[in-house]
Amino acid sequence: MYVEAMSNLGMVMRARGANREAEALWLRAIKLRPDYWDAIDHLLHALCENHTLPNGSVQSPRYNEALAVLDYILNVSLRADGLLLVFIPPARLHRLQNLLHTSGNIRSMNKVDPWAGFHDYIRAIELMFRPPGSVESGTPLQLSDVVVATTVIGLLTNVSSDSPLPRKIASALGVETSAFNQRVLERGIDWLALVQQANSRLLDILLQEGDGALPVVLLAPENVLRIPSALFSAFSHSLPALCTREPFEDLWRLAPGVGDAHAKRTTAMALLALARLFQSSPQNRHGFLSSRGKRIPRSTSLTIVFYYLALSLHPTASTYNNLGIIFDSVKHSLPALSRHGRQQILTGTTLAELYYKKGLSVDPKHPHLLTNYGSLLKDQGRMLEAIGLYQKALQSRPNFDIALANLANVIQDSGAIPKSIAYYKRALEVAPGFPDAICGLSSALSSICDWRWGRGSIGNEPLVDAQFRFNLRPSKEDQTPKGWMGEMEIASRKQLAAAYAIGTGIVRALGTVEDWIQVVNNATNFELDGSQQRSQKAVNEVAFIIHLIESMNQIVQRRWYRDLYLNPSERSITGLEAANKVSYKRARLPGPLGAPIVPALLPFHCFTYALDNRTYRLIAHRNALRISYLALKAPWHPQTVYKPPPPPFQKLNVGYVSSDFNNHPLAHLMLSVFGLHNRSRFNIFAYATSASDNSQYRRKIEEDVDCFYDLSASSTESIVKQIVSDQIHILINLGGYTRGTRNDIFAARPCPVQVSLMGYAGTSGAGWCDYLVGDEHACPRKAFGPFKAAEERRMAGIAAGVQGNSNVEWDVPISQIDPDSEATDWAL
C-alpha cells in the first residue's frame, strides 16, 4: 500500500506540474519494489517524452536516464541470458517483456550502433518462448531453436516425396521419416523439444542446404498463420511462458486468467525489430543469430523466418507488406503442395501477390501495400490495374513520394509523357532528392525534348538555363553538373558509389579460409587490409564474389567439355557419369550474401545522356550483377553445371532468344536474317518469351527457323532446361536491357557461348555475355574492356609465353578488366 500511495502521489505531483518531484517519487517506489509496473510505466513515459519547462523552453526526452531505470529493473529481474531471477506471475510477464522491448528500442536509436538493442530484443522474445521451469531444467529454449523449428516446418510443408531432405531432417531429429507429410502443420509434434535434442546436427543440415545460410522457405499466408499451432502444440498452441501444468499432467495449458494478446503483440514487435535490423543493415555488418556455440548468418531467409513468426503471432497489414516486398525480390520458385495435396509451383512473385492481397484485406487503404502491389502488377504488364492502385494510394496519402514517382513511371511507359512529368514534379516537391523521381523526370523531359525548367547539362554539353538560353561552358575542363540533368548525374553517381561502402568487408565476412582473401589480393593487386581503404579505392567486393562464381562455373563447364569430347580416353563414359556430381559440381554463391543494389537510372535511358563511359558501363554492370545474383541463387539448378553440348557434327545449333518476335522494330530488322542461314551448316532455334500477336512478322520468323518455341508462359527453369535439351552451341540475346527481356535465362548459363546482338545498342556489363556483335566504327576495339584486358596481360607478360587462351579448361579470362575501374576510356 505504501508503494502504491507513493506512485499515486507522483501522479498528483505530475498533474500539478511538479515533474521532478513526481519522477523522484516513482523512482523511490521502483527501488522499494522493482515489479511495481504502474510506477515503472509512469516514470518511463515521463522520461521519454518532451516537457515544456516553466520558462517556456522544451526539454527533450532523457533516454539515458530511462535506460538507467530500465537497467536497474532488468538486472534485478533477469540473468544476462534472459532467465528469470524472481518469480513473475504469467499474467504480469508481458509487463517485463515490454520493458525489454522498450530498452531495445531506445538502444537501437543509437546512430553509431543500431545493433545496440539486439540483445534486449532477443531476451524479450525468448522470455515468452521459454516455459516455466527453464532454469531448473537446465535446457532453456533459445530463439535459434524456434527459428530452426519454423524453418523445418516450412520446408516439410512444401517438400516433395522424392526429396532427400526429409530423410536428412528425420535422421537429425531421431524420428521416422513417415512422420513428415503435407499435413505436418496439423500434427501434434513437439518441434521445440525435438530441435533442442537435435542440437547442432539439424542446423548443420539446414546450413548445408542453404549454402551457408538457412534455406529459403516459401509459405502461403494461410500456412504462416498456422505456425503457432505447430510450434506450440505441446503448450495448447499458446506462448509457452504463459502456460502452466500440474505435476501429474503431461501437456501444458494456458494459465487461468491469463490473456496472451499483449504478449503476442510485443513478441511480434520484437521479431519485426530483428527482421528490420537484419534486412536494412549493410552487408558488411557481421550479423548473426547465436545457436548453442554455432552461428546462423544473416540472410534473406533468416529475415523471412522472423517475419513469418511475427505475422503468425500478430497479423498486421504492414507485416504482410514487408513479406510481399521480400518475395517480389527473391524470385525463387519451388514445387509445393496445396492444402489438398496437389502439386503446384510456388514462386516469389506469386507469394508477393498473395501477401499484398491479404494485407489489403486487413487495411484496404494502406498506402505502401497499394503502391507495392501496383509495382508488382506493373512488372507483369498489367498497367491499368497498377495505375488504379497507385491512385488509391494517393487518395490515402496525397503526398506519398514513392506512389507519385511510380505512377509517373507507369504513365510515362504508357506514352502519356507530359502527364507523367506533373507527377514527377509533385514527388520531388515532397522529396527533393528522391533518385527515382529525378531520373524519371530527366528521362521524361529528354524524351520529348522539353529543355525548359533549367535543364542544365552534364559533361561538355552546352548549358541550358531556366530561360531556355544556351550557354557554352567556360572551358573543356569544366564538367560541373548543372540543372536537372546535373541532379540526375549526381544521384546516379551517389547510388553507384554506395555499393562500395555497403559491400566493403563482405569477402572476409563470408569466407573463413585465408585463400579466399589471397584470391582477392591477387585479383585487385593490393592487400585488402583495411575496410576504409577498400571503399575509397572503389573495390566492389560483392561484384567480385559474383564474378568469381560465374567464372568458376564456366571453367567447370569447359573442363567437362574437354573430358567428354576432347580427351575421352582419360575416363570411361560410365566413370564420368558416376563422378559428375563431384567433378563438375556447380559453384554457388554464399548463402548469407545479399542482393546487390541497382541505381534508379536504367541502362536503356543512358543512351540520350552525355554520361562518361565509366558511369554508363557501371549502370549496366550493376543491373547485370542483380540479374546474376538472382539467377545464381535460384534453387532449381542441378548440383552440377549444365552439361555442355557435344561438338557440332556438320551443323552448329544456334538459338535466338527474344521477347520481340512480333510486330516490333527488332523483328523488322531481323526478319530476313533467320532464313539466310546456311541450313547445311546451322540449325536455327527461336525461343519467344512473349505471346504471339499473329502478325506477319511472327509468322515469317516461325516459318524461317528449324524450331520455334512459344515460351511466353514458361518459367526460367523450364526455358533453361529446353535450351540445354536442344544442345545449343551458341545462344544469342536479342533483347539486352529492353522491355520484356529475359536476361535471367542467360545468367543461368545454359549454353557455353552466349552473344549479344542487335536488340540493344550497348553493353550488358555482364559476365553472362561472352561476345557483343557490333560495327567496328560504332564499337571500336579500344572501347572493349576485354580487348584492353588482353592487351594489358600481353604487354605485362602475364601470359608467361603462352600465346592466347589455348587451354580449354581455363578458357576464361581470369584477370578480366574490372568494370569498377576508374578508367573512362572504355565502355563495352
Side-chain angles (χ1 to χ4, degrees):
M1 293 295 292
Y2 176 71
V3 172
E4 183 179 356
M6 190 179 297
S7 178
N8 290 339
L9 181 58
M11 290 295 294
V12 174
M13 299 301 289
R14 176 68 182 275
R16 298 175 63 178
N19 294 327
R20 287 294 185 182
E21 291 82 352
E23 292 168 10
L25 287 166
W26 289 326
L27 186 59
R28 285 177 59 195
I30 292 169
K31 290 188 175 182
L32 288 170
R33 187 174 153 193
D35 64 344
Y36 193 70
W37 309 109
D38 289 344
I40 296 170
D41 289 345
H42 295 325
L43 180 56
L44 291 176
H45 181 73
L47 294 174
C48 295
E49 68 175 8
N50 291 320
H51 287 294
T52 301
L53 301 177
N55 62 6
S57 62
V58 177
Q59 184 182 50
S60 301
R62 291 163 287 161
Y63 292 122
N64 287 336
E65 294 181 44
L67 281 177
V69 173
L70 286 165
D71 285 342
Y72 172 77
I73 300 165
L74 296 175
N75 287 337
V76 300
S77 304
L78 293 168
R79 294 187 345 190
D81 59 5
L83 294 173
L84 290 172
L85 290 172
V86 296
F87 174 73
I88 298 177
R92 294 285 181 265
L93 205 55
H94 73 276
R95 306 291 291 267
L96 178 62
Q97 184 193 34
N98 190 57
L99 296 186
L100 286 165
H101 182 246
T102 301
S103 178
N105 287 342
I106 295 175
R107 295 181 197 279
S108 295
M109 294 165 60
N110 186 335
K111 294 182 179 179
V112 177
D113 184 14
W115 285 70
F118 179 73
H119 184 56
D120 284 334
Y121 289 138
I122 295 286
R123 293 198 295 172
I125 297 165
E126 291 179 341
L127 185 67
M128 286 298 162
F129 285 165
R130 291 170 171 168
S134 291
V135 177
E136 293 83 356
S137 68
T139 56
L141 194 76
Q142 295 183 353
L143 175 58
S144 59
D145 297 325
V146 180
V147 166
V148 169
T150 303
T151 303
V152 169
I153 291 170
L155 289 173
L156 296 178
T157 301
N158 293 329
V159 74
S160 60
S161 57
D162 57 347
S163 171
L165 186 58
R167 293 190 296 275
K168 294 179 182 179
I169 293 175
S171 175
L173 295 176
V175 299
E176 291 292 330
T177 309
S178 59
F180 303 145
N181 56 32
Q182 70 269 22
R183 313 287 290 184
V184 71
L185 287 180
E186 300 173 8
R187 297 179 63 87
I189 299 175
D190 191 349
W191 289 105
L192 298 180
L194 287 174
V195 168
Q196 280 185 285
Q197 293 167 9
N199 207 339
S200 62
R201 298 191 306 274
L202 180 57
L203 180 57
D204 289 341
I205 289 172
L206 295 179
L207 294 180
Q208 183 180 14
E209 186 74 15
D211 297 317
L214 291 178
V216 174
V217 175
L218 303 183
L219 289 177
E222 63 269 18
N223 282 338
V224 173
L225 297 179
R226 295 159 61 204
I227 286 176
S229 297
L231 273 180
F232 309 129
S233 59
F235 299 91
S236 301
H237 313 301
S238 300
L239 292 171
L242 305 182
C243 294
T244 186
R245 68 179 176 183
E246 298 298 332
F248 55 83
E249 293 179 319
D250 292 328
L251 296 179
W252 296 81
R253 51 188 168 77
L254 194 63
V258 174
D260 60 359
H262 286 293
K264 284 184 175 180
R265 180 168 57 84
T266 305
T267 305
M269 288 192 296
L271 285 162
L272 290 174
L274 290 181
R276 288 190 289 267
L277 199 57
F278 278 92
Q279 187 177 12
S280 60
S281 297
Q283 289 198 43
N284 53 5
R285 172 75 199 209
H286 300 191
F288 60 88
L289 185 65
S290 295
S291 178
R292 308 186 188 284
K294 293 199 171 242
R295 293 181 174 184
I296 302 176
R298 59 174 296 182
S299 61
T300 300
S301 51
L302 178 57
T303 302
I304 289 173
V305 173
F306 285 144
Y307 277 125
Y308 279 161
L309 288 168
L311 186 67
S312 70
L313 294 172
H314 185 65
T316 66
S318 294
T319 308
Y320 281 115
N321 177 62
N322 290 334
L323 277 166
I325 293 172
I326 291 178
F327 286 130
D328 193 27
S329 63
V330 165
K331 305 301 182 187
H332 272 57
S333 61
L334 292 172
L337 295 173
S338 69
R339 295 188 64 180
H340 305 292
R342 296 173 182 170
Q343 195 76 24
Q344 61 181 359
I345 297 298
L346 205 57
T347 68
T349 304
T350 304
L351 276 181
E353 186 165 5
L354 289 176
Y355 279 93
Y356 288 145
K357 286 182 176 179
K358 189 68 175 178
L360 289 172
S361 71
V362 176
D363 183 359
K365 296 183 179 180
H366 196 287
H368 289 275
L369 271 168
L370 291 164
T371 301
N372 292 324
Y373 188 19
S375 297
L376 183 144
L377 295 180
K378 172 184 175 292
D379 292 341
Q380 295 177 350
R382 298 154 67 179
M383 299 299 186
L384 292 179
E385 294 176 79
I387 290 174
L389 288 171
Y390 291 143
Q391 290 174 336
K392 286 183 180 179
L394 292 173
Q395 290 172 5
S396 177
R397 187 185 297 180
N399 290 329
F400 188 21
D401 54 341
I402 299 176
L404 287 166
N406 288 352
L407 179 58
N409 287 337
V410 72
I411 290 175
Q412 181 182 184
D413 289 346
S414 65
I417 295 175
K419 187 178 179 180
S420 73
I421 291 172
Y423 284 106
Y424 284 129
K425 288 183 177 179
R426 280 181 58 187
L428 290 172
E429 288 174 3
V430 178
F434 188 24
D436 295 60
I438 292 172
C439 295
L441 178 63
S442 301
S443 171
L445 290 172
S446 298
S447 65
I448 59 174
C449 297
D450 187 345
W451 289 4
R452 298 170 295 174
W453 325 111
R455 178 189 185 275
S457 73
I458 55 178
N460 287 320
E461 292 179 323
L463 295 167
V464 183
D465 62 21
Q467 285 72 44
F468 200 48
R469 293 176 301 198
F470 283 72
N471 299 288
L472 295 176
R473 288 182 177 270
S475 66
K476 290 184 177 180
E477 290 72 28
D478 179 20
Q479 297 188 14
T480 307
K482 301 284 187 179
W484 47 260
M485 285 294 289
E487 291 180 17
M488 179 272 297
E489 183 182 21
I490 292 171
S492 299
R493 288 183 182 275
K494 284 182 178 179
Q495 289 186 311
L496 292 171
Y500 304 124
I502 291 173
T504 298
I506 192 66
V507 171
R508 191 176 294 275
L510 295 181
T512 58
V513 182
E514 192 59 28
D515 288 346
W516 175 278
I517 299 299
Q518 190 59 47
V519 171
V520 182
N521 290 340
N522 293 338
T524 55
N525 202 29
F526 62 87
E527 290 292 323
L528 300 186
D529 54 3
S531 59
Q532 186 65 28
Q533 181 190 49
R534 296 199 295 278
S535 177
Q536 291 174 345
K537 291 195 175 185
V539 177
N540 191 336
E541 295 189 36
V542 175
F544 167 80
I545 293 173
I546 292 173
H547 287 320
L548 177 66
I549 298 301
E550 288 181 322
S551 296
M552 293 305 101
N553 284 333
Q554 283 185 271
I555 289 172
V556 172
Q557 193 177 50
R558 282 163 167 74
R559 183 161 53 82
W560 198 353
Y561 181 90
R562 181 202 64 187
D563 292 345
L564 275 174
Y565 309 120
L566 299 186
N567 302 311
S569 59
E570 292 185 6
R571 300 185 191 179
S572 67
I573 298 299
T574 304
L576 273 175
E577 295 302 323
N580 280 351
K581 290 186 178 180
V582 177
S583 300
Y584 311 111
K585 187 176 181 180
R586 173 183 299 275
R588 295 185 180 275
L589 290 176
L593 184 68
I597 60 174
V598 294
L601 184 59
L602 300 176
F604 188 77
H605 293 162
C606 293
F607 294 139
T608 58
Y609 301 145
L611 298 168
D612 63 61
N613 285 333
R614 181 176 187 271
T615 302
Y616 165 68
R617 73 169 182 265
L618 277 186
I619 288 172
H621 178 238
R622 296 294 163 76
N623 280 269
L625 286 178
R626 174 65 72 91
I627 294 167
S628 293
Y629 173 86
L630 294 174
L632 292 170
K633 279 281 190 177
W636 42 261
H637 291 300
Q639 291 185 3
T640 64
V641 297
Y642 290 108
K643 186 176 180 180
F649 180 71
Q650 295 183 339
K651 291 185 179 182
L652 273 171
N653 296 330
V654 179
Y656 291 87
V657 181
S658 178
S659 60
D660 299 321
F661 291 143
N662 286 314
N663 185 7
H664 183 276
L666 183 280
H668 302 170
L669 291 168
M670 291 287 294
L671 193 61
S672 61
V673 172
F674 303 103
L676 292 175
H677 286 82
N678 185 340
R679 286 303 194 272
S680 66
R681 300 179 62 189
F682 301 100
N683 294 317
I684 306 303
F685 297 74
Y687 302 93
T689 59
S690 60
S692 174
D693 62 353
N694 296 315
S695 65
Q696 59 177 323
Y697 304 99
R698 178 75 163 220
R699 292 194 297 272
K700 172 67 173 171
I701 295 172
E702 290 176 352
E703 293 169 359
D704 282 356
V705 299
D706 296 293
C707 192
F708 188 98
Y709 295 97
D710 184 343
L711 301 174
S712 56
S714 300
S715 66
T716 303
E717 178 183 8
S718 61
I719 296 174
V720 167
K721 286 181 176 178
Q722 185 63 61
I723 293 170
V724 173
S725 174
D726 291 336
Q727 298 186 330
I728 300 300
H729 296 104
I730 301 175
L731 190 65
I732 298 176
N733 185 345
L734 294 176
Y737 292 116
T738 55
R739 188 181 304 170
T741 191
R742 294 291 300 275
N743 288 318
D744 52 339
I745 297 169
F746 292 84
R749 184 60 75 168
C751 181
V753 178
Q754 300 185 160
V755 179
S756 179
L757 170 69
M758 186 62 75
Y760 181 72
T763 180
S764 65
W768 32 264
C769 180
D770 303 313
Y771 298 94
L772 170 64
V773 179
D775 178 88
E776 65 174 318
H777 298 289
C779 303
R781 284 190 174 188
K782 64 181 182 180
F784 280 84
F787 176 78
K788 290 185 67 66
E791 281 295 294
E792 289 175 4
R793 291 198 302 275
R794 186 179 64 82
M795 296 297 294
I798 296 179
V802 178
Q803 299 299 316
N805 291 323
S806 58
N807 189 331
V808 176
E809 179 176 356
W810 304 104
D811 191 16
V812 176
I814 295 174
S815 44
Q816 286 183 353
I817 197 163
D818 183 10
D820 284 277
S821 162
E822 295 291 341
T824 59
D825 59 346
W826 61 276
L828 303 171

